[in-house]
């Protein structure tokens, strides 16, 4: 039996998915939601509450405990982890973990104590800044200045110096806590941290996720000397050399063999970022297939034929785990904004879809909402901006149906506006993430993009990507074959565009741009 396990340590949950190569099926797909299962970490939405809304950190021990809970759940559900022939996975991008003692000093985890108690003494910093953090603007400016300006940072790393990216966060830590910085000997992304737990040794960062650090030279696939120097003194010694995403980083630690029944010496393949992993899970590793992921953040991404950067400075170039590059734009007000509206107006997801499909019309009778409940990444809004334009009932907050349509229309129009630079074909568009099966949301995306919108049969494309990456690296199965077998579209849920709505959304797009230009001074 050839089975492969993929893990996904995302913002609000840790998921594990197992594929079976003999039957071509997903034979397990479980998640541990941090807010529900680990309330003692006080992170109902995956991160700690802080008085400064720009500061978003998580406790890395929450991810460690979640790993044990998830593996325990799989075993309780009757899954034989001994049949797993390879493991890989993904983590939310950009988040960083700081160690005072290297994972390489661990040797072996002891089965006498929970993993959490053994990881805690390794940490030089109690919390991990995650991708939602936007408190490092000063550091972004300092880094850009030190290397010769924004354009040079883009030319080397594929992105401007961006608040949530790891380099500016590292610089902030170095400036704010010099003593803890001096104690730090090893820095991980969430992805390499999770892989290191599994192998009880230091797993390097992969080129896919490493590109989200403002430190990687995309041309050479190595850390950029100039960016390292501009970020923090001695940083080069605290990072392992980045590796291709197909690299075997070790074998499963004895701890997991004894506690959860893995087979000894099961290979672990480098973990990557959740978006690069999703590219694989969606079967979109070749240029020509665009993906929209509707999760805590919304993202739009596609493999790129040649590296191309966003002239407006919002988009990014990351490594494609199958080789080459991928383009991505990220929107912080994704599911949190949809949930905010649903909650505020007492709509469940069926009522939310119904509001869009039967109670309101494309263009929303001119009602427009700027739904930036948290600081936005694309476009760049350092503080929340929530503005209602349109009829009196809408503006006064008495029209739940128009509000539901308004949040999704603005999100879709913004996705379209800010993904033009990617320049790859955008029809059909594959969709994934929690909201990707909501027919109301799919309807709006189809009309706004004037493209066929196709969800995947399997939910959790990032964990699926982990399993597929393990199958490719360990089992040698070609990407195309894996995509054909496991990334099947749910054609019955696909939405076709209504050409009659094209003009309405051209007009609505111009109106959104005008409103955004008013606030983006
Ligand atoms: C991408 C980004 C988010 C995180 C969390 O640049 O910041 O999509 O990866 O999913």
């Amino acid at each position: 039996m050839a089975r492969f396990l993929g893990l996904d340590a995302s913002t609000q949950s840790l998921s594990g998915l197992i594929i079976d190569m003999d039957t071509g099926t997903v034979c397990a797909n479980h998640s541990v939601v941090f807010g529900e299962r680990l309330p003692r970490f006080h992170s109902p939405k995956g991160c700690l509450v802080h008085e400064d809304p720009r500061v978003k950190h998580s406790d890395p021990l929450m991810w460690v405990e979640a790993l044990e809970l998830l593996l325990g759940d799989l075993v309780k559900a009757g899954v034989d982890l001994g049949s797993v022939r390879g493991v890989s996975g993904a983590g939310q991008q950009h988040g960083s973990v700081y160690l005072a003692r290297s994972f390489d000093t661990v040797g072996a985890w002891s089965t006498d104590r929970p993993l959490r108690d053994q990881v805690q003494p390794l940490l030089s910093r109690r919390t991990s800044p995650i991708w939602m953090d936007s408190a490092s603007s000063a550091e972004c400016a300092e880094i850009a200045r030190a290397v010769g300006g924004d354009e040079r940072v883009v030319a080397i790393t594929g992105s401007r110096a961006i608040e949530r990216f790891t380099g500016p966060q590292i610089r902030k830590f170095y400036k704010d806590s010099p003593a803890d910085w001096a104690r730090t000997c090893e820095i991980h992304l969430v992805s390499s941290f999770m892989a290191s737990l599994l192998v009880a040794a230091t797993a390097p960062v992969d080129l896919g996720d490493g590109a989200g650090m403002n430190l990687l030279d995309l041309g050479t696939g190595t850390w950029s000397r100039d960016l390292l120097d501009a970020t923090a003194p001695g940083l080069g010694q605290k990072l392992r050399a980045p590796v291709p995403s197909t690299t075997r980083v070790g074998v499963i630690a004895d701890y997991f063999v004894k506690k959860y029944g893995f087979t000894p010496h099961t290979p672990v393949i480098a973990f990557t970022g959740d978006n690069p992993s999703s590219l694989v899970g969606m079967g979109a590793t070749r240029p020509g297939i665009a993906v929209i992921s509707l999760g805590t953040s919304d993202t739009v991404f596609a493999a790129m034929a040649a590296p191309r950067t966003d002239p407006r400075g919002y988009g990014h170039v990351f490594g494609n785990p199958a080789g080459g590059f991928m383009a991505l734009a990220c929107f912080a007000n994704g599911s949190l904004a949809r949930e905010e509206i649903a909650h505020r107006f007492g709509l469940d997801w069926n009522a939310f879809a119904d509001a869009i499909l039967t109670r309101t019309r494309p263009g929303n009778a001119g009602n427009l909402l700027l739904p930036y409940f948290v600081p936005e990444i694309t476009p760049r809004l350092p503080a929340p901006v929530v503005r209602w334009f349109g009829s009196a009932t809408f503006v006064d907050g008495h029209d739940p149906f128009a509000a539901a349509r308004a949040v999704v229309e603005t999100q879709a129009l913004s996705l379209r506006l800010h993904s033009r630079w990617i320049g790859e074909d955008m029809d059909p568009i594959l969709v994934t993430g929690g909201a990707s099966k909501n027919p109301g949301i799919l309807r709006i995306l189809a009309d706004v993009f004037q493209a066929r919108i196709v969800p995947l049969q399997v939910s959790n494309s990032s964990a699926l990507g982990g399993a597929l990456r393990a199958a490719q690296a360990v089992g040698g199965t070609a990407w195309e074959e894996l995509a054909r077998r496991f990334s099947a579209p749910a054609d019955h849920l696909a939405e076709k565009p209504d050409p009659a709505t094209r003009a309405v959304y051209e007009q609505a797009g111009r109106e959104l741009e005008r409103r955004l230009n008013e606030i983006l001074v």
Side-chain angles (χ1 to χ4, degrees), residues 214-215 223-233 235-236 239:
N214 277 147
L215 292 172
W223 302 127
S224 153
R225 187 73 264 161
D226 287 358
L227 264 309
L228 289 174
D229 290 346
T231 302
L235 174 55
L239 290 171

Side-chain angles (χ1 to χ4, degrees), residues 11 92-94 131 164 274-275 297 299 316 318 328 330:
T11 316
Q92 53 171 309
Q93 296 197 255
H94 319 297
W131 67 274
R164 71 188 192 286
D274 55 358
N275 293 294
S297 63
T299 53
H316 314 295
F318 295 148
L328 177 138
C330 176

